[in-house]
Amino acid sequence: MPMKKDRKFQSQMRKNAKELININNRNARIAAKTAEQEKEKKDTTKLRVVICVILLIAICAGFALRLFDWQIVHGEEYKELSAASTAHTVDSDATRGEILDVDGHPLAVNETAYNIVINKVYASEDHQLNLIIIDLLNTLKQCDVAYIDELPISYVNGEFVFDEGSGGDVEYIESPSMLNKEGLSAQQIVDELAKRYKADNIDDPYTRRAVVSIRYNMEKKGFSYEQVYVVASDVSSDAVAVVSERTQTVPAVEIRTVNERVIKNGTLIPHILGVVGKIDEDEYADYKEKGYGLDDNIGKFGIEAAMEDYLRGKAGTKTIITDEDGQIVGEEETVKSKPGDTVYLTINSRIQEVAAYTIGKNIKEAQKLGLEDVKRAKANKAKEQSKMGEDCVAGAAVMLDVRDNSVICAASYPNYDIAKFYDPDYSEYLFGDEDIPMFNRAFEGAFAPGSTFKPCVAMAALQENIISTDTTIHCDGEYDYYKNDVVHCLGVHGNQKLESAMAHSCNCYFAEVGRRVGITTMYMYAEKLGLGSKTGIEVSESTGVLAGRDSTTWFEGNTVQAAIGQSDNAFTPVQLATYASAIANNGVRYKTHLVRKVVNYERTENVLYNDPEKPEIVAETGVSQDNIDLVKEAMYAVTQTDNMRAMAGKYPIKMGCKTGTAENAGSDHNVFICFAPYDDPEIALCVLFEHGGRSYLPQQAACDILDAYFYDKDVDDVKKDPWKF
């Protein structure tokens, strides 16, 4: 048995050994194959690297050969070709947006005009440019067209002399920006500029000066391939025809159609509208970053300035390709110009015209009556002559829509014609007139409000529980609580309660109420009602002066003066109208504004819209409805006094109102504020006459304006049928 087992064991061992040999052989074959594959892979990688290197060398060699061909073999040829074809980017003007009244009637619009310009693309050499200028000047002279001349030197009696007031311009010419020489005579400046512009070979002094003037202005305005230079602006169509014919062979001279700013009625809202003019050097620093050039126009003041970002629009650009002869061989508009947006104001032109007419008429009437009083006083050898309006020369009126505080009209007198603003003779008159017609009294004139301040004092006292409707204060014609600040009343009213005191404008009553309220509480309510605060209108306005808050010194006795609208109190007519509106709106003050909406130039979509149904609330007084109603009732009671029933109380539409007479040097100021209709207010109005002397005249003007609003009267209707008390 053991022998069988051994044989079986040996047989199994041989079998296992055989299998082990087979496995080893198989592994050896696999290893050999793998080694062979790795070798093939390495050979392939080396081949790829070699191919890449060869390709890279070939590409570099190709570039080198091409550069050699461009720069060495054909360098001059390509240089000439490049010089022969030049591309310039030129700005195209953007049309300025227009300004319309609330009904779309034009106020400042665009009309087609013609400018004669020189384009540097066609005249790059000094000598060539000077010859073009001389030929053009001769043509313009024959057409009686003046070129734009800003050189501050004239040729008079055979010599060059500085123009009057030319100091700043001369300093600029002598500065490092130009000649970099100081203390030169007029002759020396012309000579130096002539050398600078290669015009020193021109013998005729008039021609030399003209060429130098244009070249000087070209440099100043940034004349370049991108910026043409305007030689003459707003040229007649007849002159355009002549210039076009005589410059057909002079491609550098071009006739360009531009949109000229035209004011349709220069006397309607001159203080509000403003003007457009060239950027000056001081303004350029601020506007440069916005993409403006020195030859661009901007709004100088008024709505033109306030809405500049909307009105301006965006200039476009186009690329012009010219050949070596200066001929245009290609043109492409790269960026389209975008016209400016159109601005609709809240101003109603018909009511504005009535307001301007009636305040002017009644101010003249006040002055006439005052002068008659002076004449009588002199005839009677009176020691004291009249102070009843002989010095009345100015005033203002502002009407608001109380539902959103949009300005319906805002007239300032004396008035002026802004369409003539750039006329030298007219502007000399404007800036020299001692009555300052350019001063916007409606928005910037601050005046003592007189008794129109009393409703504010009443609201503060009622809300602070300092008085009630039953509070009685005695008036004996004089209030002397403070011996150094005695308040005089216009009458002896006896015991007074709020309604009677408001109706009779009792100074003694309100002086005592003001003392109890205190100056701090008083001016806090005044601020909320819009007094001594900017109203929010888009154009320039004064903050006014609020007694106590803005006073440099203050004594206790000053409070009683402030309570009757005197002391340091000084408010603008637009603030007083806003104040009346806040009372009409039960103590809610809306933002006062002149812009109804801004639309795109095509007028198809709104860019900005001041929705009258969604007015912006600026402040709320916090006065209860009961207390507001008491003040309103007191303001209605004003119309029921004997005097007022013969004046504004006669008006067929019920109103709440208050008159004010403010003492100052000269005749008293007269103020009238109101809101109407009393039961459902639509408008608030302030009329103010400087040194008016007679309180009924502002009321007459107010009734004319109310007629324009409520009965659709125009200025012709008011002239035929004015209010007369």
Side-chain angles (χ1 to χ4, degrees):
M1 286 295 291
M3 297 223 10
K4 281 187 178 180
K5 288 182 181 178
D6 289 340
R7 282 195 296 272
K8 189 175 183 181
F9 175 75
Q10 290 175 357
S11 175
Q12 185 65 42
M13 289 296 291
R14 284 195 294 271
K15 185 176 180 182
N16 290 343
K18 189 175 181 180
E19 289 179 359
L20 182 60
I21 291 169
N22 290 335
I23 289 171
N24 289 335
N25 291 336
R26 187 167 60 252
N27 288 341
R29 287 195 300 274
I30 291 171
K33 187 174 183 180
T34 300
E36 185 177 349
Q37 289 175 343
E38 286 293 330
K39 185 177 182 232
E40 290 177 356
K41 187 175 181 181
K42 287 181 180 179
D43 292 342
T44 301
T45 300
K46 288 180 180 179
L47 182 60
R48 287 176 179 171
V49 169
V50 170
I51 292 171
C52 287
V53 170
I54 292 171
L55 286 174
L56 184 60
I57 292 171
I59 291 170
C60 291
F63 277 124
L65 288 171
R66 191 60 173 159
L67 286 171
F68 181 80
D69 179 66
W70 288 344
Q71 296 182 9
I72 306 301
V73 179
H74 297 98
E76 289 301 319
E77 179 183 342
Y78 286 124
K79 185 177 180 180
E80 291 175 7
L81 184 62
S82 174
S85 179
T86 307
H88 301 288
T89 301
V90 180
D91 289 336
S92 56
D93 294 334
T95 301
R96 191 171 181 84
E98 298 183 326
I99 302 174
L100 316 174
D101 82 347
V102 70
D103 295 318
H105 298 133
L107 300 173
V109 295
N110 300 317
E111 292 185 357
T112 300
Y114 300 101
N115 288 349
I116 298 173
V117 307
I118 293 178
N119 191 332
K120 191 172 184 178
V121 168
Y122 306 104
S124 57
E125 299 295 331
D126 282 323
H127 178 68
Q128 180 186 23
L129 182 56
N130 290 344
L131 290 176
I132 291 170
I133 290 172
I134 292 170
D135 287 343
L136 179 57
L137 285 171
N138 290 332
T139 302
L140 293 178
K141 185 176 181 180
Q142 292 171 14
C143 299
D144 197 25
V145 173
Y147 68 93
I148 296 173
D149 184 2
E150 296 184 9
L151 185 69
I153 296 172
S154 299
Y155 189 69
V156 181
N157 297 326
E159 63 176 340
F160 289 105
V161 295
F162 293 119
D163 295 338
E164 185 177 351
S166 62
D169 292 315
V170 172
E171 286 181 11
Y172 172 72
I173 294 173
E174 293 180 340
S175 72
S177 299
M178 294 204 72
L179 299 181
N180 197 22
K181 294 181 179 180
E182 296 182 0
L184 299 177
S185 66
Q187 178 69 57
Q188 288 172 327
I189 286 179
V190 172
D191 291 342
E192 288 293 329
L193 290 175
K195 290 178 185 177
R196 185 181 185 89
Y197 303 128
K198 307 291 191 296
D200 47 346
N201 61 338
I202 301 174
D203 295 328
D204 179 59
Y206 293 100
T207 304
R208 175 188 285 201
R209 187 207 166 278
V211 172
V212 164
S213 174
I214 290 176
R215 291 297 304 273
Y216 156 72
N217 214 28
M218 279 180 166
E219 183 174 3
K220 189 177 178 183
K221 299 294 185 182
F223 178 59
S224 65
Y225 289 112
E226 292 75 29
Q227 180 69 49
V228 299
Y229 175 73
V230 179
V231 180
S233 61
D234 195 17
V235 179
S236 69
S237 56
D238 290 340
V240 164
V242 174
V243 173
S244 297
E245 180 181 355
R246 296 188 181 181
T247 59
Q248 284 183 356
T249 59
V250 187
V253 177
E254 299 177 0
I255 307 297
R256 292 206 173 182
T257 303
V258 295
N259 289 313
E260 183 184 30
R261 202 62 162 177
V262 175
I263 296 170
K264 285 299 184 180
N265 184 347
T267 61
L268 186 67
I269 53 168
H271 303 90
I272 294 172
L273 191 59
V275 294
V276 173
K278 295 292 184 185
I279 292 178
D280 60 39
E281 291 177 34
D282 293 335
E283 293 167 326
Y284 183 60
D286 295 328
Y287 282 92
K288 183 178 180 181
E289 293 182 1
K290 295 182 180 180
Y292 286 78
L294 265 173
D295 207 40
D296 284 343
N297 288 317
I298 58 169
K300 291 293 185 175
F301 61 91
I303 288 294
E304 290 279 20
M307 304 303 289
E308 172 68 23
D309 289 345
Y310 291 101
L311 291 166
R312 183 200 179 202
K314 295 180 179 178
T317 59
K318 59 182 179 180
T319 299
I320 299 175
I321 301 172
T322 59
D323 61 19
E324 61 182 339
D325 297 321
Q327 300 297 315
I328 294 177
V329 296
E331 187 174 315
E332 179 185 0
E333 187 174 32
T334 49
V335 178
K336 292 191 81 172
S337 63
K338 178 183 178 297
D341 299 319
T342 291
V343 176
Y344 282 78
L345 301 184
T346 60
I347 295 290
N348 182 302
S349 292
R350 176 178 52 80
I351 299 175
Q352 175 73 20
E353 194 170 13
V354 169
Y357 164 74
T358 190
I359 65 168
K361 181 191 75 170
N362 282 286
I363 284 170
K364 291 174 184 175
E365 181 72 6
Q367 188 181 61
K368 173 190 168 187
L369 293 173
L371 289 171
E372 288 175 356
D373 284 349
V374 171
K375 187 176 180 180
R376 278 191 293 270
K378 286 181 177 179
N380 295 327
K381 297 181 179 180
K383 289 183 180 179
E384 291 226 9
Q385 296 177 4
S386 169
K387 287 188 178 180
M388 289 294 290
E390 68 276 12
D391 48 349
C392 182
V393 295
V398 177
M399 177 185 276
L400 306 180
D401 186 327
V402 303
R403 292 162 292 192
D404 71 335
N405 271 21
S406 54
V407 180
I408 297 171
C409 70
S412 179
Y413 186 89
N415 202 7
Y416 72 101
D417 188 348
I418 201 167
K420 300 178 182 177
F421 184 80
Y422 287 113
D423 179 279
D425 294 335
Y426 189 73
S427 62
E428 183 178 356
Y429 145 72
L430 283 181
F431 290 104
D433 192 328
E434 61 182 12
D435 294 330
I436 321 175
M438 288 186 64
F439 181 48
N440 186 356
R441 288 166 170 84
F443 296 161
E444 296 183 292
F447 309 94
S451 294
T452 59
F453 189 64
K454 290 171 180 175
C456 170
V457 178
M459 291 175 67
L462 288 167
Q463 189 63 25
E464 297 296 322
N465 295 316
I466 290 168
I467 64 168
S468 70
T469 53
D470 295 325
T471 300
T472 300
I473 296 172
H474 184 75
C475 169
D476 60 6
E478 188 174 271
Y479 179 82
D480 60 356
Y481 187 94
Y482 298 106
K483 300 305 179 183
N484 293 327
D485 281 289
V486 177
V487 174
H488 299 280
C489 204
L490 296 176
V492 179
H493 300 115
N495 290 334
Q496 293 286 292
K497 294 182 180 180
L498 174 61
E499 188 170 297
S500 177
M502 187 76 75
H504 294 100
S505 201
C506 179
N507 284 344
C508 292
Y509 178 92
F510 282 97
E512 173 59 16
V513 171
R515 185 192 68 80
R516 297 180 189 182
V517 171
I519 190 61
T520 302
T521 301
M522 198 187 304
Y523 72 62
M524 284 174 58
Y525 279 88
E527 280 183 322
K528 292 177 182 178
L529 287 164
L531 300 173
S533 302
K534 290 191 175 182
T535 65
I537 52 172
E538 293 82 352
V539 299
S540 177
E541 63 173 325
S542 170
T543 305
V545 180
L546 196 50
R549 184 197 69 183
D550 301 329
S551 302
T552 54
T553 59
W554 195 258
F555 302 98
E556 284 186 333
N558 299 152
T559 302
V560 298
Q561 296 291 340
I564 62 170
Q566 296 285 165
S567 181
D568 294 327
N569 280 324
F571 310 130
T572 64
V574 71
Q575 286 176 352
L576 290 165
T578 300
Y579 160 57
S581 173
I583 295 171
N585 283 316
N586 302 317
V588 177
R589 177 161 65 95
Y590 298 129
K591 181 180 179 181
T592 305
H593 58 280
L594 281 162
V595 174
R596 167 63 72 223
K597 62 182 178 180
V598 179
V599 301
N600 62 350
Y601 196 78
E602 295 75 22
R603 304 179 194 175
T604 57
E605 61 182 65
N606 286 340
V607 177
L608 178 151
Y609 183 51
N610 287 321
D611 189 345
E613 301 297 324
K614 299 175 182 177
E616 181 181 338
I617 296 175
V618 175
E620 298 186 49
T621 60
V623 178
S624 70
Q625 189 63 53
D626 288 343
N627 289 333
I628 288 278
D629 288 342
L630 290 173
V631 174
K632 285 183 175 180
E633 289 165 8
M635 292 179 73
Y636 172 67
V638 171
T639 67
Q640 302 306 299
T641 59
D642 291 339
N643 284 340
M644 290 296 289
R645 273 198 293 268
M647 291 188 277
K650 287 174 59 177
Y651 198 75
I653 293 175
K654 188 177 175 182
M655 70 176 77
C657 70
K658 189 72 191 78
T659 59
T661 301
E663 296 178 358
N664 57 86
S667 302
D668 295 337
H669 294 330
N670 294 122
V671 192
F672 177 76
I673 63 169
C674 70
F675 60 86
Y678 175 79
D679 297 315
D680 186 17
E682 295 180 24
I683 62 90
L685 174 64
C686 170
V687 179
L688 183 148
F689 286 1
E690 285 185 60
H691 310 299
R694 290 167 169 81
S695 64
Y696 70 89
L697 290 173
Q699 294 178 55
Q700 281 191 168
C703 289
D704 283 339
I705 298 168
L706 292 172
D707 272 357
Y709 178 84
F710 288 113
Y711 300 111
D712 296 329
K713 287 188 176 182
D714 60 25
V715 72
D716 291 331
D717 297 327
V718 171
K719 287 178 179 178
K720 292 174 186 175
D721 185 25
W723 266 91
K724 197 76 176 175
F725 299 138

